[in-house]
Amino acid sequence: GYSGMNHYAEWNVYGDAFAAQYVLSSAPYPVYLVPLDVCDKIPVYRTECAAYPDDTCTADMLSCNFIKIMNRSMPGLPQTCPQPLIYQALAEAYEKFAAPAPFYRLWDSAATAYVLKPELFLDEGVTKLATITDWTNEGWLAQLGEAEAKGLNTPPYKSVTVFFNLAAPLQDTRNKLYEFLATAACGSPYPHW
């Protein structure tokens, strides 16, 4: 959970618990979930590249090239991007929301990366989940039986496929995700990698 809310809430579900409840109770399609703790394994530290001259900031330094691309400091950007407007919009969003933060995680980006790079995610499992919309627990994704154990009415549960980890070795997987997510901002692989 998060401070300022109940301690059960998941941020995106809390943002619209009733929409999440609809998906989990009515959607005729399968639901996949990449939890926050998996996305937290893909940190972006804005001070990482600043500590190194450009020529020594290499791909094995976690998020360094991601930061260079999003800060528009990678040579040739955005001119080499096939889709420069997409890159520019993402770079501006990065500057506004992520760059000022002392740390940032590729939360939503990592979750959507699963669709195109599922081989980078591990420990798939299926669990039954329900979205709780009760005021004191709003936004909680409860596993089967948890809501009832707290004295709540039985909510509609749905079987959800959940990914609990990134593929090993973790460092290599992080680098692949940084590279994929940063180059996706250009619309194709960046030629210098």
Side-chain angles (χ1 to χ4, degrees):
Y2 297 89
S3 61
M5 295 182 261
N6 68 70
H7 65 278
Y8 294 110
E10 192 283 326
W11 176 253
N12 290 313
V13 177
Y14 183 79
D16 195 339
F18 289 94
Q21 182 185 49
Y22 175 80
V23 169
L24 288 183
S25 64
S26 305
Y29 46 81
V31 174
Y32 296 85
L33 178 71
V34 179
L36 183 64
D37 51 341
V38 172
C39 298
D40 276 347
K41 294 179 181 183
I42 312 169
V44 176
Y45 295 103
R46 67 181 168 92
T47 57
E48 211 167 70
C49 281
Y52 300 92
D54 282 350
D55 60 342
T56 62
C57 186
T58 62
D60 64 340
M61 294 170 62
L62 286 176
S63 61
C64 194
N65 278 334
F66 179 85
I67 293 169
K68 286 171 72 174
I69 286 175
M70 298 318 292
N71 281 341
R72 300 182 179 108
S73 59
M74 189 71 92
L77 289 176
Q79 299 83 357
T80 56
C81 290
Q83 304 297 328
L85 291 177
I86 294 172
Y87 167 76
Q88 190 159 357
L90 290 171
E92 287 175 16
Y94 173 80
E95 286 173 14
K96 184 175 183 176
F97 300 109
F103 77 94
Y104 187 75
R105 305 287 192 258
L106 296 173
W107 294 292
D108 295 337
S109 300
T112 57
Y114 162 75
V115 175
L116 297 171
K117 295 287 185 184
E119 69 274 12
L120 299 178
F121 297 84
L122 286 178
D123 302 334
E124 178 181 321
V126 177
T127 188
K128 288 189 176 286
L129 292 176
T131 303
I132 307 303
T133 56
D134 165 82
W135 176 252
T136 58
N137 299 292
E138 188 169 344
W140 176 26
L141 286 177
Q143 290 185 310
L144 187 62
E146 289 180 335
E148 297 83 350
K150 294 250 181 242
L152 301 174
N153 291 332
T154 301
Y157 288 94
K158 181 172 181 75
S159 292
V160 175
T161 302
V162 182
F163 297 88
F164 297 102
N165 215 335
L166 296 174
L170 183 59
Q171 180 72 20
D172 291 344
T173 300
R174 281 182 180 149
N175 286 336
K176 288 175 185 174
L177 279 166
Y178 292 130
E179 180 177 349
F180 171 72
L181 293 169
T183 58
C186 268
S188 72
Y190 187 72
H192 295 106
W193 292 32

